[in-house]
Coordinates of all heavy atoms in Angstrom, one line a residue:
M191 N 0.8 -1.2 0.0 CA 0.0 0.0 0.0 C 1.0 1.2 0.0 O 1.7 1.4 0.9 CB -0.9 0.0 1.2 CG -1.7 1.3 1.5 SD -3.0 1.2 2.7 CE -2.2 1.1 4.2
T192 N 0.7 2.1 -1.0 CA 1.4 3.3 -1.0 C 0.4 4.6 -1.1 O -0.4 4.5 -1.9 CB 2.3 3.4 -2.3 OG1 3.3 2.2 -2.1 CG2 3.2 4.7 -2.2
L193 N 0.7 5.5 -0.2 CA -0.1 6.7 -0.2 C 0.9 7.8 -0.5 O 2.0 7.6 -0.2 CB -0.8 6.9 1.1 CG -2.1 6.2 1.4 CD1 -3.2 6.7 0.5 CD2 -2.0 4.7 1.2
Y194 N 0.4 8.9 -1.0 CA 1.2 10.1 -1.3 C 0.7 11.3 -0.8 O -0.5 11.5 -0.7 CB 1.3 10.2 -2.9 CG 1.9 8.9 -3.6 CD1 0.8 8.0 -3.9 CD2 3.2 8.7 -3.8 CE1 1.3 6.7 -4.6 CE2 3.5 7.6 -4.4 CZ 2.7 6.6 -4.8 OH 3.1 5.4 -5.4
V195 N 1.7 12.3 -0.4 CA 1.3 13.5 0.2 C 2.2 14.6 -0.4 O 3.4 14.4 -0.6 CB 1.4 13.4 1.7 CG1 2.8 13.2 2.2 CG2 0.8 14.7 2.3
D196 N 1.6 15.6 -0.8 CA 2.4 16.9 -1.3 C 2.7 17.8 -0.2 O 2.1 17.7 0.9 CB 1.7 17.5 -2.5 CG 0.4 18.1 -2.3 OD1 -0.1 18.1 -1.1 OD2 -0.2 18.7 -3.2
P197 N 3.6 18.7 -0.4 CA 3.9 19.7 0.7 C 2.8 20.6 1.0 O 1.9 20.8 0.2 CB 5.0 20.5 0.0 CG 5.5 19.8 -1.2 CD 4.4 18.9 -1.6
P198 N 2.7 21.0 2.3 CA 1.6 21.9 2.7 C 1.8 23.3 2.1 O 2.2 24.2 2.9 CB 1.8 21.9 4.3 CG 3.2 21.5 4.5 CD 3.6 20.6 3.4
D199 N 1.5 23.5 0.9 CA 1.7 24.8 0.2 C 0.3 25.4 -0.2 O 0.4 26.3 -0.9 CB 2.4 24.5 -1.1 CG 4.0 24.1 -0.9 OD1 4.4 24.5 0.2 OD2 4.6 23.5 -1.8
W200 N -0.8 24.8 0.2 CA -2.1 25.3 -0.3 C -2.8 26.0 1.0 O -3.1 25.5 2.0 CB -2.9 24.2 -0.7 CG -2.2 23.4 -1.8 CD1 -1.5 22.4 -1.7 CD2 -2.2 23.9 -3.2 NE1 -1.0 22.0 -2.9 CE2 -1.4 22.8 -3.9 CE3 -2.9 24.8 -3.8 CZ2 -1.3 22.9 -5.2 CZ3 -2.7 24.9 -5.2 CH2 -1.9 23.9 -5.9
P201 N -3.0 27.4 0.8 CA -3.6 28.1 1.9 C -5.1 27.9 1.9 O -5.7 27.7 0.9 CB -3.3 29.6 1.6 CG -3.1 29.6 0.1 CD -2.5 28.3 -0.2
G202 N -5.7 28.0 3.2 CA -7.1 28.0 3.3 C -7.5 28.0 4.8 O -6.9 27.3 5.5
H203 N -8.5 28.7 5.0 CA -9.0 28.8 6.4 C -7.9 29.0 7.4 O -7.9 28.5 8.6 CB -9.7 27.4 6.8 CG -10.7 27.0 5.8 ND1 -11.9 27.7 5.7 CD2 -10.7 26.1 4.8 CE1 -12.7 27.1 4.6 NE2 -11.9 26.1 4.2
G204 N -7.0 29.9 7.1 CA -5.9 30.4 8.1 C -4.9 29.4 8.3 O -4.2 29.5 9.2
R205 N -4.8 28.3 7.4 CA -3.8 27.3 7.6 C -3.2 27.0 6.2 O -3.7 27.5 5.2 CB -4.4 26.0 8.0 CG -5.0 26.0 9.3 CD -5.5 24.5 9.6 NE -6.3 24.4 10.8 CZ -6.6 23.1 11.3 NH1 -6.2 22.1 10.7 NH2 -7.3 23.1 12.4
M206 N -2.2 26.2 6.2 CA -1.6 25.6 5.0 C -2.1 24.1 5.0 O -2.1 23.5 6.0 CB -0.1 25.7 5.0 CG 0.3 27.2 5.0 SD -0.3 28.2 3.6 CE 0.8 27.6 2.3
W207 N -2.2 23.6 3.7 CA -2.7 22.3 3.6 C -1.9 21.4 2.6 O -1.3 22.0 1.6 CB -4.2 22.4 3.0 CG -5.1 23.0 4.0 CD1 -5.3 24.3 4.1 CD2 -5.8 22.4 5.0 NE1 -6.2 24.6 5.2 CE2 -6.6 23.5 5.6 CE3 -6.2 21.1 5.4 CZ2 -7.4 23.2 6.7 CZ3 -7.0 20.9 6.4 CH2 -7.7 21.9 7.1
S208 N -2.0 20.1 2.7 CA -1.5 19.2 1.8 C -2.6 18.3 1.2 O -3.7 18.5 1.7 CB -0.4 18.2 2.5 OG 0.7 18.8 3.0
H209 N -2.3 17.5 0.2 CA -3.2 16.5 -0.3 C -2.8 15.3 -0.1 O -1.6 14.9 -0.5 CB -3.5 16.8 -1.8 CG -3.9 18.3 -2.1 ND1 -3.1 19.2 -2.6 CD2 -5.1 18.8 -1.9 CE1 -3.8 20.3 -2.7 NE2 -4.9 20.2 -2.3
L210 N -3.5 14.4 0.4 CA -3.2 13.0 0.7 C -3.9 12.1 -0.4 O -5.2 12.2 -0.4 CB -3.6 12.5 2.1 CG -3.3 11.1 2.5 CD1 -1.7 10.9 2.5 CD2 -3.9 10.8 3.8
V211 N -3.3 11.3 -1.2 CA -3.9 10.5 -2.3 C -3.4 9.1 -2.3 O -2.4 8.8 -1.9 CB -3.7 11.2 -3.6 CG1 -4.2 12.6 -3.7 CG2 -2.3 11.1 -4.0
S212 N -4.2 8.3 -3.0 CA -3.9 6.9 -3.3 C -3.8 6.8 -4.8 O -4.5 7.4 -5.5 CB -4.8 5.8 -2.7 OG -4.7 4.6 -3.2
D213 N -3.0 5.8 -5.2 CA -3.0 5.6 -6.7 C -3.5 4.2 -7.0 O -3.4 3.7 -8.0 CB -1.6 5.7 -7.3 CG -0.6 4.7 -6.8 OD1 -0.9 4.0 -5.8 OD2 0.5 4.6 -7.4
V214 N -4.2 3.7 -5.9 CA -4.8 2.3 -6.0 C -6.3 2.3 -5.8 O -7.0 1.8 -6.8 CB -4.2 1.3 -5.0 CG1 -4.9 0.0 -5.0 CG2 -2.8 1.1 -5.3
S215 N -6.7 2.9 -4.7 CA -8.2 2.9 -4.5 C -8.6 3.9 -3.5 O -7.8 4.3 -2.6 CB -8.8 1.5 -4.1 OG -8.3 1.3 -2.8
Y216 N -9.8 4.3 -3.5 CA -10.4 5.2 -2.4 C -10.5 4.4 -1.1 O -10.3 4.9 -0.1 CB -11.8 5.7 -2.8 CG -11.9 6.6 -3.9 CD1 -12.6 6.3 -5.1 CD2 -11.0 7.7 -4.0 CE1 -12.5 7.2 -6.2 CE2 -10.8 8.6 -5.1 CZ -11.7 8.3 -6.1 OH -11.7 9.1 -7.3
D217 N -10.7 3.1 -1.2 CA -10.7 2.2 0.1 C -9.5 2.3 0.8 O -9.4 2.5 1.9 CB -11.2 0.8 -0.2 CG -12.6 0.6 -0.6 OD1 -13.4 1.5 -0.3 OD2 -12.9 -0.4 -1.4
E218 N -8.4 2.2 0.0 CA -7.0 2.3 0.6 C -6.8 3.7 1.2 O -6.3 3.8 2.4 CB -6.0 2.0 -0.5 CG -4.5 2.2 0.0 CD -3.5 2.1 -1.1 OE1 -3.6 2.9 -2.2 OE2 -2.7 1.2 -1.0
L219 N -7.3 4.7 0.5 CA -7.1 6.0 1.0 C -7.9 6.3 2.2 O -7.4 6.7 3.2 CB -7.6 7.1 -0.1 CG -7.5 8.5 0.3 CD1 -6.1 9.0 0.7 CD2 -8.0 9.3 -0.9
H220 N -9.2 5.8 2.3 CA -10.0 6.0 3.6 C -9.4 5.2 4.7 O -9.4 5.7 5.8 CB -11.5 5.5 3.2 CG -12.1 6.4 2.3 ND1 -12.3 7.7 2.4 CD2 -12.8 6.0 1.1 CE1 -12.9 8.3 1.4 NE2 -13.3 7.2 0.6
A221 N -8.8 4.1 4.5 CA -8.3 3.2 5.5 C -7.1 3.9 6.1 O -6.9 4.0 7.4 CB -8.0 1.8 5.0
F222 N -6.2 4.4 5.2 CA -5.0 5.2 5.7 C -5.4 6.4 6.6 O -4.9 6.7 7.6 CB -4.1 5.6 4.5 CG -2.8 6.2 5.0 CD1 -1.8 5.2 5.1 CD2 -2.6 7.4 5.0 CE1 -0.5 5.8 5.5 CE2 -1.3 8.0 5.4 CZ -0.2 7.1 5.6
A223 N -6.5 7.2 5.9 CA -6.9 8.3 6.7 C -7.5 8.0 8.1 O -7.2 8.7 9.1 CB -7.9 9.1 5.8
A224 N -8.1 6.9 8.2 CA -8.7 6.5 9.4 C -7.7 6.2 10.4 O -7.7 6.5 11.6 CB -9.6 5.3 9.2
R225 N -6.5 5.6 9.9 CA -5.3 5.2 10.8 C -4.7 6.6 11.4 O -4.3 6.6 12.4 CB -4.3 4.4 10.2 CG -4.7 3.0 10.0 CD -3.6 2.1 9.6 NE -2.4 2.6 9.2 CZ -1.9 2.5 7.8 NH1 -2.6 1.9 7.0 NH2 -0.8 3.0 7.5
L226 N -4.9 7.6 10.6 CA -4.4 9.0 11.0 C -5.4 9.8 11.8 O -5.2 10.8 12.2 CB -4.0 9.8 9.8 CG -2.7 9.4 9.0 CD1 -2.5 10.2 7.8 CD2 -1.5 9.4 10.0
S227 N -6.6 9.2 12.0 CA -7.8 9.8 12.6 C -8.2 11.1 11.9 O -8.6 12.1 12.5 CB -7.5 10.1 14.1 OG -7.2 8.9 14.8
L228 N -8.1 11.1 10.6 CA -8.6 12.3 9.9 C -10.1 12.1 9.7 O -10.6 11.0 9.5 CB -8.0 12.3 8.4 CG -6.4 12.4 8.3 CD1 -6.0 12.3 6.9 CD2 -6.1 13.8 9.0
P229 N -10.9 13.1 9.9 CA -12.3 13.2 9.7 C -12.6 13.0 8.3 O -12.0 13.4 7.4 CB -12.7 14.5 10.3 CG -11.6 15.4 10.1 CD -10.3 14.6 10.1
R230 N -13.8 12.2 8.1 CA -14.3 11.9 6.8 C -14.6 13.2 6.0 O -14.4 13.2 4.7 CB -15.5 10.9 6.8 CG -15.9 10.4 5.5 CD -14.9 9.6 4.9 NE -15.4 9.1 3.6 CZ -15.6 7.8 3.3 NH1 -15.4 6.9 4.3 NH2 -16.1 7.4 2.2
R231 N -14.9 14.3 6.7 CA -15.2 15.6 6.1 C -14.0 16.1 5.3 O -14.1 17.0 4.6 CB -15.9 16.5 7.1 CG -14.9 17.1 8.2 CD -15.6 18.1 9.0 NE -14.6 18.5 10.1 CZ -14.4 17.9 11.2 NH1 -15.1 16.7 11.4 NH2 -13.5 18.4 12.0
A232 N -12.8 15.6 5.8 CA -11.5 16.1 5.1 C -11.4 15.5 3.7 O -10.5 15.9 3.0 CB -10.4 15.7 6.0
F233 N -12.2 14.5 3.3 CA -12.2 13.9 2.0 C -12.8 14.8 1.0 O -14.0 15.3 1.2 CB -12.9 12.5 2.0 CG -12.8 11.8 0.7 CD1 -11.6 11.4 0.1 CD2 -14.0 11.7 0.0 CE1 -11.6 10.8 -1.1 CE2 -14.0 10.9 -1.3 CZ -12.8 10.5 -1.8
D234 N -12.1 15.1 -0.1 CA -12.5 16.1 -1.0 C -12.6 15.5 -2.4 O -11.9 15.9 -3.4 CB -11.7 17.4 -1.0 CG -12.3 18.6 -1.8 OD1 -13.5 18.5 -2.1 OD2 -11.5 19.5 -2.2
G235 N -13.4 14.5 -2.6 CA -13.7 13.9 -3.9 C -12.7 12.9 -4.4 O -13.1 11.8 -4.8
D236 N -11.4 13.2 -4.2 CA -10.4 12.2 -4.7 C -9.1 12.2 -3.9 O -8.2 11.6 -4.2 CB -10.0 12.4 -6.3 CG -9.5 13.8 -6.6 OD1 -9.2 14.6 -5.6 OD2 -9.4 14.0 -7.8
H237 N -9.1 13.1 -2.8 CA -8.0 13.2 -2.0 C -8.5 13.7 -0.5 O -9.7 14.1 -0.4 CB -7.1 14.3 -2.5 CG -7.7 15.7 -2.5 ND1 -8.4 16.1 -3.5 CD2 -7.5 16.7 -1.6 CE1 -8.8 17.4 -3.3 NE2 -8.3 17.7 -2.1
Y238 N -7.6 13.7 0.5 CA -7.9 14.2 1.7 C -7.1 15.5 1.9 O -5.9 15.6 1.5 CB -7.5 13.3 2.8 CG -8.5 12.3 3.2 CD1 -8.7 11.1 2.6 CD2 -9.3 12.5 4.3 CE1 -9.6 10.1 2.9 CE2 -10.4 11.5 4.7 CZ -10.5 10.4 4.0 OH -11.5 9.5 4.3
D239 N -7.8 16.5 2.4 CA -7.1 17.8 2.7 C -6.4 17.5 4.1 O -7.1 17.1 5.0 CB -8.0 18.9 2.7 CG -8.5 19.3 1.4 OD1 -7.8 19.2 0.4 OD2 -9.7 19.7 1.3
L240 N -5.1 17.7 4.1 CA -4.4 17.4 5.4 C -3.7 18.7 5.8 O -2.9 19.3 5.1 CB -3.3 16.4 5.0 CG -2.4 15.9 6.1 CD1 -3.1 14.9 7.0 CD2 -1.2 15.2 5.5
P241 N -4.0 19.1 7.0 CA -3.4 20.3 7.6 C -1.9 20.1 7.7 O -1.5 19.1 8.1 CB -4.1 20.6 8.9 CG -4.7 19.3 9.3 CD -4.9 18.5 8.0
A242 N -1.2 21.3 7.6 CA 0.2 21.3 7.7 C 0.8 20.6 9.0 O 1.8 19.8 8.9 CB 0.8 22.6 7.6
N243 N 0.1 20.7 10.1 CA 0.5 20.1 11.4 C 0.4 18.7 11.4 O 0.9 18.0 12.3 CB -0.2 20.7 12.5 CG -1.6 20.4 12.7 OD1 -2.4 20.6 11.6 ND2 -2.1 20.0 13.7
R244 N -0.3 18.0 10.4 CA -0.4 16.6 10.3 C 0.5 16.0 9.3 O 0.5 14.8 9.1 CB -1.8 16.2 10.1 CG -2.8 16.6 11.1 CD -2.6 16.0 12.6 NE -2.3 14.6 12.5 CZ -3.3 13.6 12.6 NH1 -4.5 13.9 12.5 NH2 -2.9 12.3 12.6
Y245 N 1.2 16.8 8.5 CA 2.0 16.3 7.4 C 3.1 15.3 7.9 O 3.2 14.2 7.3 CB 2.7 17.5 6.7 CG 3.7 17.2 5.6 CD1 3.1 17.0 4.3 CD2 5.0 16.9 5.8 CE1 3.9 16.7 3.2 CE2 5.8 16.7 4.6 CZ 5.2 16.5 3.4 OH 6.1 16.2 2.4
A246 N 3.8 15.6 8.9 CA 4.8 14.7 9.5 C 4.2 13.4 9.9 O 4.8 12.3 9.8 CB 5.6 15.4 10.6
D247 N 2.9 13.5 10.5 CA 2.3 12.2 10.9 C 2.0 11.3 9.7 O 2.2 10.1 9.8 CB 0.9 12.5 11.6 CG 1.2 13.3 12.8 OD1 2.2 13.3 13.4 OD2 0.2 14.1 13.2
A248 N 1.6 11.9 8.6 CA 1.3 11.1 7.4 C 2.6 10.4 6.9 O 2.6 9.3 6.5 CB 0.7 12.0 6.3
V249 N 3.7 11.2 6.8 CA 5.0 10.7 6.4 C 5.5 9.5 7.3 O 5.9 8.4 6.8 CB 6.0 11.7 6.2 CG1 7.4 11.2 5.9 CG2 5.5 12.7 5.1
A250 N 5.3 9.8 8.6 CA 5.7 8.8 9.6 C 4.9 7.5 9.5 O 5.4 6.4 9.7 CB 5.6 9.3 11.0
A251 N 3.6 7.6 9.0 CA 2.8 6.4 8.9 C 3.0 5.7 7.6 O 2.4 4.7 7.2 CB 1.3 6.9 8.9
G252 N 3.9 6.4 6.6 CA 4.2 5.7 5.4 C 3.9 6.4 4.1 O 4.2 5.9 3.1
A253 N 3.2 7.6 4.2 CA 3.0 8.3 3.0 C 4.3 8.8 2.3 O 5.1 9.2 3.1 CB 2.1 9.5 3.3
V254 N 4.3 8.6 1.0 CA 5.5 9.0 0.3 C 5.4 10.5 -0.1 O 4.3 10.9 -0.6 CB 5.6 8.2 -1.0 CG1 6.8 8.7 -1.9 CG2 5.8 6.7 -0.6
E255 N 6.4 11.2 0.1 CA 6.4 12.7 -0.2 C 6.7 12.9 -1.7 O 7.6 12.3 -2.2 CB 7.5 13.5 0.6 CG 7.3 13.4 2.1 CD 8.5 13.9 2.8 OE1 9.5 13.1 3.1 OE2 8.5 15.0 3.2
V256 N 5.7 13.6 -2.3 CA 5.9 14.0 -3.8 C 5.4 15.5 -3.9 O 4.8 16.0 -3.0 CB 4.9 13.0 -4.5 CG1 5.4 11.6 -4.5 CG2 3.4 13.2 -4.2
G257 N 5.7 16.0 -5.2 CA 5.3 17.3 -5.5 C 3.8 17.4 -5.8 O 3.2 16.4 -6.1
S258 N 3.3 18.6 -5.8 CA 1.9 18.8 -6.1 C 1.5 18.3 -7.5 O 0.5 17.7 -7.7 CB 1.6 20.2 -5.9 OG 1.7 20.6 -4.6
R259 N 2.4 18.5 -8.5 CA 2.1 18.0 -9.9 C 2.0 16.5 -9.9 O 1.3 15.9 -10.6 CB 3.2 18.5 -10.8 CG 2.9 20.0 -11.1 CD 3.9 20.5 -12.1 NE 3.7 22.0 -12.3 CZ 4.3 22.7 -13.2 NH1 5.1 22.1 -14.0 NH2 4.0 24.0 -13.2
D260 N 2.9 15.9 -9.1 CA 2.9 14.4 -9.0 C 1.6 13.8 -8.5 O 1.0 12.8 -8.9 CB 4.1 13.9 -8.1 CG 5.4 14.3 -8.8 OD1 5.6 14.0 -9.9 OD2 6.3 14.7 -8.0
V261 N 1.0 14.6 -7.5 CA -0.2 14.1 -6.9 C -1.3 14.0 -8.1 O -2.0 13.1 -8.2 CB -0.8 15.0 -5.8 CG1 -2.2 15.0 -5.5 CG2 0.1 14.9 -4.6
V262 N -1.4 15.2 -8.9 CA -2.4 15.2 -10.0 C -2.1 14.1 -11.0 O -2.9 13.3 -11.4 CB -2.4 16.5 -10.7 CG1 -3.3 16.6 -11.8 CG2 -2.8 17.6 -9.7
R263 N -0.8 13.9 -11.3 CA -0.4 12.8 -12.2 C -0.8 11.5 -11.7 O -1.3 10.6 -12.5 CB 1.1 12.9 -12.5 CG 1.6 11.9 -13.5 CD 3.1 11.9 -13.7 NE 3.8 11.8 -12.4 CZ 4.1 10.7 -11.8 NH1 3.6 9.5 -12.1 NH2 4.7 10.7 -10.6
L264 N -0.5 11.2 -10.5 CA -0.8 9.9 -9.9 C -2.3 9.6 -9.9 O -2.7 8.5 -10.3 CB -0.3 9.8 -8.5 CG 1.3 9.7 -8.3 CD1 1.7 10.0 -6.9 CD2 1.7 8.2 -8.6
L265 N -3.1 10.6 -9.6 CA -4.5 10.4 -9.6 C -5.0 10.2 -11.1 O -5.9 9.3 -11.3 CB -5.2 11.7 -9.1 CG -5.2 11.8 -7.6 CD1 -5.7 13.1 -7.1 CD2 -5.9 10.7 -6.9
R266 N -4.5 10.9 -12.0 CA -4.9 10.8 -13.4 C -4.6 9.4 -13.9 O -5.4 8.7 -14.5 CB -4.4 11.8 -14.3 CG -5.0 13.2 -14.2 CD -4.4 14.1 -15.2 NE -5.1 15.4 -15.1 CZ -4.4 16.5 -15.2 NH1 -3.2 16.6 -15.6 NH2 -5.1 17.7 -15.0
E267 N -3.3 9.0 -13.7 CA -2.9 7.7 -14.2 C -3.5 6.6 -13.6 O -3.7 5.5 -14.3 CB -1.3 7.5 -14.0 CG -0.5 8.4 -14.9 CD 1.0 8.4 -14.6 OE1 1.4 7.7 -13.7 OE2 1.8 9.2 -15.3
S268 N -3.9 6.7 -12.4 CA -4.7 5.6 -11.7 C -6.2 5.5 -12.1 O -6.8 4.6 -11.8 CB -4.5 5.8 -10.2 OG -5.3 6.8 -9.8
G269 N -6.6 6.6 -12.7 CA -8.1 6.7 -13.0 C -9.0 7.2 -11.8 O -10.2 7.1 -11.9
L270 N -8.3 7.6 -10.8 CA -9.1 8.0 -9.6 C -9.3 9.6 -9.4 O -9.9 10.1 -8.6 CB -8.3 7.7 -8.3 CG -8.1 6.2 -8.1 CD1 -7.2 5.9 -6.8 CD2 -9.5 5.5 -7.8
R271 N -8.8 10.3 -10.5 CA -8.9 11.8 -10.5 C -10.4 12.2 -10.8 O -11.0 11.6 -11.8 CB -8.0 12.5 -11.6 CG -8.2 14.0 -11.7 CD -7.6 14.6 -10.5 NE -7.5 16.0 -10.7 CZ -7.4 16.9 -9.8 NH1 -7.5 16.5 -8.5 NH2 -7.4 18.2 -10.0
R272 N -11.0 13.0 -10.0 CA -12.4 13.4 -10.2 C -12.2 14.8 -10.7 O -11.5 15.6 -10.2 CB -13.2 13.4 -8.9 CG -13.3 11.9 -8.5 CD -14.7 11.7 -7.8 NE -14.8 10.3 -7.5 CZ -15.3 9.8 -6.5 NH1 -15.5 10.6 -5.4 NH2 -15.3 8.5 -6.2
P273 N -13.0 15.1 -11.8 CA -12.9 16.5 -12.4 C -13.4 17.6 -11.4 O -14.3 17.3 -10.5 CB -13.9 16.5 -13.5 CG -14.7 15.3 -13.3 CD -14.0 14.3 -12.4
K274 N -12.8 18.7 -11.5 CA -13.2 19.9 -10.7 C -14.6 20.3 -11.1 O -15.1 20.1 -12.2 CB -12.3 21.0 -10.9 CG -11.0 20.8 -10.2 CD -10.1 22.0 -10.2 CE -8.8 21.7 -9.5 NZ -7.9 22.9 -9.5
G275 N -15.3 20.9 -10.2 CA -16.6 21.4 -10.7 C -17.5 21.2 -9.4 O -17.1 20.9 -8.2
P276 N -18.8 21.4 -9.5 CA -19.7 21.3 -8.4 C -19.5 19.9 -7.8 O -19.6 18.8 -8.5 CB -21.0 21.5 -9.0 CG -20.9 22.2 -10.2 CD -19.5 21.8 -10.7
R277 N -19.4 19.8 -6.5 CA -19.3 18.5 -5.8 C -20.6 18.2 -5.2 O -21.4 19.1 -4.7 CB -18.2 18.6 -4.7 CG -16.9 19.1 -5.1 CD -16.1 17.9 -5.6 NE -14.8 18.4 -6.1 CZ -13.6 17.8 -5.9 NH1 -13.6 16.7 -5.2 NH2 -12.6 18.3 -6.3
P278 N -21.0 16.9 -5.1 CA -22.2 16.5 -4.3 C -22.1 17.0 -2.9 O -21.1 17.1 -2.3 CB -22.2 15.0 -4.4 CG -21.0 14.6 -5.3 CD -20.1 15.8 -5.5
R279 N -23.3 17.4 -2.5 CA -23.4 17.9 -1.0 C -23.2 16.7 -0.1 O -23.4 15.6 -0.4 CB -24.8 18.4 -0.8 CG -25.0 19.7 -1.6 CD -26.4 20.2 -1.3 NE -26.6 20.4 0.1 CZ -27.7 21.0 0.6 NH1 -28.5 21.5 -0.1 NH2 -27.8 21.1 1.9
R280 N -22.5 17.1 0.9 CA -22.1 16.0 1.9 C -23.2 15.9 3.0 O -23.8 17.0 3.4 CB -20.8 16.5 2.7 CG -19.6 16.4 1.8 CD -18.4 16.8 2.5 NE -17.3 17.0 1.6 CZ -16.2 17.4 1.9 NH1 -15.9 17.7 3.1 NH2 -15.2 17.6 1.0
G281 N -23.5 14.7 3.4 CA -24.4 14.5 4.5 C -25.7 14.7 4.1 O -26.8 14.7 4.4

């Protein structure tokens, strides 16, 4: 199982964020996120938004550090990339 995380370079809500992705399945991604105790609301269609203060936790748990462009490439090549646009409402 390999998960990937990009650097926390994305601003939002007064914090910096990373993206946590799988190149195999969403099930793998959700299981890894659960091990990190990430809330399901952090799942954004094809990745988890990971706050900068949790970046080291993801790497320590086995996530591979990659660049932001690599995250998009991995998602596209795996067929897991979801197009941008209106997202279904949660809950």
Side-chain angles (χ1 to χ4, degrees):
M191 168 166 74
T192 304
L193 281 288
Y194 302 90
V195 63
D196 66 359
D199 291 337
W200 302 94
H203 308 287
R205 298 183 186 190
M206 297 301 285
W207 298 84
S208 294
H209 302 104
L210 180 67
V211 302
S212 168
D213 66 347
V214 173
S215 73
Y216 296 123
D217 290 338
E218 175 185 62
L219 178 59
H220 293 311
F222 190 87
R225 287 198 339 254
L226 292 175
S227 299
L228 296 177
R230 188 62 178 248
R231 70 180 179 275
F233 181 64
D234 192 16
D236 57 11
H237 66 275
Y238 274 82
D239 290 324
L240 182 74
N243 67 310
R244 298 299 313 277
Y245 182 83
D247 297 335
V249 173
V254 174
E255 298 171 275
V256 297
S258 298
R259 290 183 182 187
D260 295 316
V261 163
V262 174
R263 179 184 54 77
L264 289 161
L265 286 171
R266 283 187 183 143
E267 289 176 359
S268 68
L270 296 175
R271 180 72 170 154
R272 295 214 173 134
K274 290 186 178 183
R277 305 274 175 142
R279 290 179 57 169
R280 296 178 191 175

